[in-house]
Amino acid sequence: MKRPILIHPDPRLKQVAAPVDDLSDARLSLARDMLETMYDAPGIGLAAPQLGVMERLIVLDCVKEEGETPRPLVMFNPEILAASEETGTYEEGCLSIPDQYADVTRPSEVEVRWIDETGAERTEGFDGLWSICVQHEIDHLRGKLFIDYLKPMRRQMITRRMQKLKRERAREAG
């Protein structure tokens, strides 16, 4: 089931998410809903706080090539164990900040540990777009948005655009 995605500014997007202590049916259902919502958006990653659920859960799938097999990942309690000193800059966007993009510099490679949807602990190294995406989504769990890496003027400009978008959507819905 597709769920509505919160749009910045929303105080829930700035909160720190709580660790997941068990994989209940409701949480597994949430993970499936998150994947459906992400693919529909369309996006390559989504964090539970973006749906107003303050738990440490992210989903991602950075396979973008037409005809390639999707690789959906569900990560409960993901944490970065190691990050490369080498960095890369990538133009990031966010489903909670629609149609706004900015260059963000992050470590080029990260090693991440998480619990998958079967309850198994997994560890994997990510590079390229996967590295950027997993760091971006883990930031959401810490209440951090990609615009927090930008200079204040640019961040304020994007925030004002989002406030205007929210007002327009409220008028259309009302």
Side-chain angles (χ1 to χ4, degrees):
M1 172 181 85
K2 289 187 306 224
R3 298 189 185 206
I5 297 171
L6 299 179
I7 302 297
H8 167 74
D10 185 299
R12 292 168 287 184
L13 293 172
K14 302 303 284 177
Q15 293 176 5
V16 175
V20 172
D21 52 7
D22 71 276
L23 300 187
S24 64
D25 289 344
R27 285 198 177 103
L28 294 172
S29 178
L30 171 63
R32 287 189 296 274
D33 289 354
M34 287 174 62
L35 283 167
E36 184 179 341
T37 302
M38 176 192 77
Y39 286 128
D40 181 70
I44 59 171
L46 188 66
Q50 290 178 273
L51 303 181
V53 179
M54 304 315 300
E55 296 185 351
R56 294 186 60 78
L57 166 61
I58 64 174
V59 298
L60 52 154
D61 185 350
C62 297
V63 175
K64 293 171 67 169
E65 299 306 313
E66 199 64 44
E68 277 198 46
T69 306
R71 184 178 177 230
L73 288 178
V74 174
M75 298 181 169
F76 292 94
N77 298 328
E79 61 178 316
I80 296 171
L81 301 176
S84 64
E85 287 187 27
E86 182 186 332
T87 61
T89 300
Y90 191 82
E91 186 180 58
E92 293 189 26
C94 180
L95 296 176
S96 290
I97 308 175
D99 303 321
Q100 301 298 310
Y101 304 91
D103 287 343
V104 177
T105 301
R106 298 182 184 271
S108 298
E109 298 177 27
V110 291
E111 184 177 347
V112 180
R113 178 175 56 211
W114 74 95
I115 306 297
D116 71 13
E117 61 272 31
T118 70
E121 184 175 293
R122 307 240 330 250
T123 303
E124 186 174 334
F126 296 97
D127 61 9
L129 183 57
W130 287 90
S131 172
I132 302 300
C133 185
V134 76
Q135 292 176 76
H136 176 112
E137 298 310 329
I138 289 173
D139 272 355
H140 274 298
L141 304 180
R142 296 193 283 245
K144 188 166 187 164
L145 302 171
F146 85 92
I147 59 170
D148 294 332
Y149 292 94
L150 306 179
K151 289 185 168 54
M153 286 285 284
R154 181 85 198 278
R155 187 168 56 244
Q156 289 167 0
M157 187 177 73
I158 290 173
T159 297
R160 280 196 295 274
R161 284 184 193 147
M162 292 301 98
Q163 289 167 328
K164 183 179 177 206
L165 175 71
K166 287 173 82 167
R167 282 193 303 273
E168 288 168 358
R169 286 186 177 178
R171 255 194 308 272
E172 290 167 8

